[in-house]
Amino acid sequence: MVDHFSADVPNFPLPDWIHLGATGVRLFLVLSGYFITASLRRARDRMDVGELSAGKTIGAFYWRRFLRIGPAYFVFAAIALLLNLGAIRHNWPWVFTGTVNWMIAWKNQWPLTISHLWSICVQEQFYLLWPLLILLLPRRWMLSAIIAVAFAGIGFRIGCVIFSAPIIARWVLPFGSLDSLAAGAALGWCGGRLRASRGGWLLALLCLSMLTVAAVLRNSDPTKLKSVLVEPLEAGAFVILVARTATGFDGNIARFLSNAGLVFAGRISYGLYIYHILVAMVFDRWLPSQMRFLITIPSLRLVVFGIVTLFIATLSWRLLEQPINRLRGEKTRRTLGPIPDGNWELEGVTRSPRAPRLENELGVWS
């Protein structure tokens, strides 16, 4: 949100070489791979002991994904279309079919209003085939297959550099995100967690170093092969972070992560992401001239856009997403039966007996 709200704003107090949006997307992809694969692994466990059939499990997966992603996505698209914001009227078929990323790659440009949907589209395209792999592939091949998918993503970007493919296509097509998704998936499949230890600061330093090197490479020549290392470095750092956070924290970190406001922001994070561009577009187009100082002063712009986005995302959560989440939870129970204790990924509930853990109640990933 900070990255998008600061776009084309002069004197914004953030160096141009810090690409918060790009780094945030990488964390989003790692989390997506982690949560969904952990959920599918638990479903696979129940399938292997005869509690569930493959057909019911796969059908429930797709139904749950549609009910989680679809409502807010289509409400955003309908509002943007009604207000004729940006390029949506000319590109609505791409929006409503979830292929905005392919449109961006084909046209080699970022269309206003809808370009931020590319990462959601990548995630959903990944989910079309991923449950088939996790639920149907023999277990002995699973980890090798996940690693192969990760190397396929790296190989795709190497091919893009060698054959001088457009940078945008390399970024937005689903193949270029496979290593990040697979990195999180490997962690989810293995149930990997990092326990607290005296070497925690060394891990933190390692993560920071990897992100720093990635930032330097991101600002170097993208036509060089070394630029291909940006995504694996970021994904590697975030896998360590996710593995450590999945274990839970104590002390001041735990109290900070347990803050009610922060927890709620995580819960509505999907709405924050979906609607924030809509807020920016509406303010930029219709704010009266005597009040435009609210969006031309960088600090005020962040505050105003942030508060309004928070308000809209909260409304969306209370009136749209939360009721539908209850509906899909009830349908899941009817279809798959009671969820055994510990299968929190399937049910979307929060169990944290010791300290805050990464639960899939976090917005888009549940």
Side-chain angles (χ1 to χ4, degrees):
M1 289 170 63
V2 171
D3 190 58
H4 287 165
F5 289 162
S6 63
D8 303 320
V9 178
N11 303 317
F12 192 83
L14 187 70
D16 291 337
W17 62 271
I18 298 180
H19 298 276
L20 289 178
T23 305
V25 165
R26 200 59 42 197
L27 175 57
F28 162 75
L29 294 171
V30 170
L31 281 170
S32 296
Y34 169 73
F35 281 129
I36 291 303
T37 304
S39 175
L40 290 170
R41 176 178 58 83
R42 295 179 186 273
R44 175 65 182 266
D45 292 342
R46 298 182 66 193
M47 283 174 49
D48 289 348
V49 298
E51 291 185 16
L52 297 175
S53 68
K56 279 188 175 182
T57 305
I58 293 172
F61 175 86
Y62 290 133
W63 176 249
R64 284 176 60 81
R65 296 311 306 160
F66 177 77
L67 287 182
R68 183 63 188 100
I69 302 299
Y73 182 99
F74 290 119
V75 165
F76 159 82
I79 294 173
L81 192 60
L82 182 65
L83 298 178
N84 193 23
L85 294 176
I88 191 169
R89 183 153 294 180
H90 301 291
N91 299 302
W92 65 266
W94 301 92
V95 175
F96 285 95
T97 55
T99 53
V100 171
N101 57 323
W102 288 91
M103 180 203 70
I104 293 172
W106 180 51
K107 295 187 176 182
N108 197 28
Q109 61 180 346
W110 295 100
L112 290 175
T113 308
I114 59 174
S115 60
H116 71 299
L117 299 178
W118 78 266
S119 58
I120 303 295
C121 294
V122 164
Q123 184 202 48
E124 292 308 297
Q125 289 157 25
F126 176 74
Y127 289 165
L128 286 176
L129 297 177
W130 198 245
L132 303 180
L133 185 147
I134 299 298
L135 296 176
L136 302 179
L137 191 71
R139 281 179 176 268
R140 63 182 181 275
W141 298 341
M142 195 67 67
L143 192 56
S144 297
I146 293 174
I147 294 172
V149 169
F151 277 103
I154 298 173
F156 169 77
R157 289 198 304 277
I158 291 175
C160 287
V161 172
I162 293 175
F163 295 103
S164 302
I167 300 299
I168 291 182
R170 170 178 153 188
W171 177 253
V172 302
L173 290 179
F175 317 110
S177 297
L178 287 178
D179 50 334
S180 299
L181 289 161
L187 185 66
W189 176 257
C190 297
R193 292 176 181 174
L194 287 174
R195 299 295 177 183
S197 68
R198 293 180 180 179
W201 289 107
L202 290 177
L203 282 177
L205 182 60
L206 175 62
C207 289
L208 181 61
S209 300
M210 294 169 73
L211 292 175
T212 301
V213 173
V216 172
L217 292 176
R218 191 184 295 281
N219 285 276
S220 62
D221 189 350
T223 64
K224 303 295 184 182
L225 273 177
K226 62 182 180 181
S227 66
V228 171
L229 296 174
V230 172
E231 289 83 359
L233 283 169
E234 289 182 338
F238 289 137
V239 162
I240 295 173
L241 176 65
V242 171
R244 177 63 187 89
T245 308
T247 304
F249 292 99
D250 295 310
N252 291 330
I253 297 179
R255 282 188 285 274
F256 171 73
L257 294 177
S258 300
N259 177 273
L262 189 62
V263 171
F264 185 70
R267 196 164 292 154
I268 66 170
S269 58
Y270 179 43
L272 292 174
Y273 185 77
I274 283 289
Y275 298 116
H276 77 279
I277 292 295
L278 185 67
V279 170
M281 294 288 292
V282 169
F283 269 83
D284 283 336
R285 176 179 292 190
W286 283 296
L287 192 67
S289 57
Q290 61 269 26
M291 299 181 64
R292 295 200 71 82
F293 70 93
L294 292 174
I295 62 173
T296 55
I297 299 176
S299 56
L300 280 179
R301 181 184 180 93
L302 280 182
V303 171
V304 172
F305 284 6
I307 290 175
V308 174
T309 303
L310 183 66
F311 176 74
I312 292 176
T314 300
L315 282 181
S316 175
W317 172 255
R318 296 295 190 192
L319 303 179
L320 178 68
E321 298 166 70
Q322 192 175 39
I324 292 177
N325 278 349
R326 294 195 190 102
L327 171 65
R328 72 192 185 111
E330 292 171 1
K331 183 173 177 59
T332 298
R333 282 188 288 273
R334 289 196 301 268
T335 303
L336 304 182
I339 305 301
D341 186 55
N343 284 270
W344 49 266
E345 293 94 347
L346 279 174
E347 188 62 12
V349 300
T350 300
R351 295 196 180 99
S352 178
R354 174 173 165 268
R357 285 166 49 183
L358 280 177
E359 306 294 351
N360 75 329
E361 195 175 39
L362 284 170
V364 67
W365 305 292
S366 59

